[in-house]
């Protein structure tokens, strides 16, 4: 890479959380289920951060209103393409997302939140990249781009690549039973951390997205 391009390199990394199994009646233990690659939410290692050239090294626009609109627009468009209604914005999910984004920014640990199984569990999509390098719609676009590998088969067979983690953000976005979303972002000196939380949670093993 030329020296004058060095300032225009950004790094990004994505995580999406699957639900590994459904609870048995009577709140019994988890039954055995396929081990699902979820880019950090499974037994497989997370993918390497991706290096991408940017058209400009100017900081991307920021603001709570811009974030909310970009997330709602991106989710709405992706769901409309497959005939699903839009998600509604949920301030409680957004607050939960913010708390976890701040935790990741503080600790620098990019991994899924620990959540109990059950009806209170929230779906979760994560993104991180160089601070100020990406617009909100670009972050959303990285998730939606996974559509290229998506096939509407039961989780975890929903990817043409054979790796569910390659489509796990997209499947949560278009999960028919999810009705609400809330997103937030926090930053440290190096990186931005975006979190979207969903209710009801998606990516349930053995079920189709829609």
């Amino acid at each position: 890479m030329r020296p004058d391009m060095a300032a225009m390199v950004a790094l990004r990394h994505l995580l999406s959380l699957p639900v590994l199994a459904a609870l048995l009646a009577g709140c019994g233990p988890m039954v055995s289920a396929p081990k699902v690659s979820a880019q950090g939410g499974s037994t497989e290692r997370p993918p390497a951060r991706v290096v991408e050239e940017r058209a400009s090294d100017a900081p991307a626009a920021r603001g709570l209103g811009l974030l909310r609109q970009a997330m709602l627009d991106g989710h709405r468009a992706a769901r409309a393409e497959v005939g699903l209604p839009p998600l509604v914005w949920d301030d409680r999910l957004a607050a939960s997302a913010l708390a976890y984004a701040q935790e990741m920014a503080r600790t620098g640990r990019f991994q899924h939140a620990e959540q109990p199984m059950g009806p209170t569990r929230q779906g979760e999509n994560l993104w991180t990249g160089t601070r100020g390098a990406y617009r909100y719609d670009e972050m959303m676009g990285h998730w939606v781009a996974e559509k290229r590998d998506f096939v509407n088969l039961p989780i975890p067979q929903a990817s043409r690549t054979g790796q569910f983690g390659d489509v796990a953000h997209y499947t949560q976005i278009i999960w028919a039973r999810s009705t609400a979303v809330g997103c937030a972002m926090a930053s440290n000196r190096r990186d931005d951390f975006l979190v979207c939380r969903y209710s009801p949670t998606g990516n349930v093993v053995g079920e189709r997205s829609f």
Side-chain angles (χ1 to χ4, degrees), residues 3-47:
D4 61 337
M5 289 293 293
M8 297 198 297
V9 171
L11 300 175
R12 67 175 174 85
H13 195 59
L14 318 174
L15 287 178
S16 182
L17 179 68
V19 177
L20 295 182
L23 287 172
L24 294 175
C27 298
M30 293 294 174
V31 295
S32 60
K35 293 183 179 180
V36 180
S37 171
Q39 299 182 324
S42 73
T43 59
E44 296 189 11
R45 66 181 183 179

Side-chain angles (χ1 to χ4, degrees), residues 43-67:
T43 59
E44 296 189 11
R45 66 181 183 179
R49 289 170 69 101
V50 178
V51 179
E52 297 178 332
E53 291 185 0
R54 302 177 59 226
S56 169
D57 59 357
R62 292 290 183 257
L64 294 178
L66 289 175
L67 172 63

Side-chain angles (χ1 to χ4, degrees), residues 64 92-104 182-186 193 195 197:
L64 294 178
R92 290 174 298 179
L93 291 174
S96 178
L98 177 60
Y100 191 60
Q102 290 173 334
E103 179 179 332
M104 287 194 295
C183 305
M185 195 183 80
F193 295 87
V195 179
R197 292 281 177 88

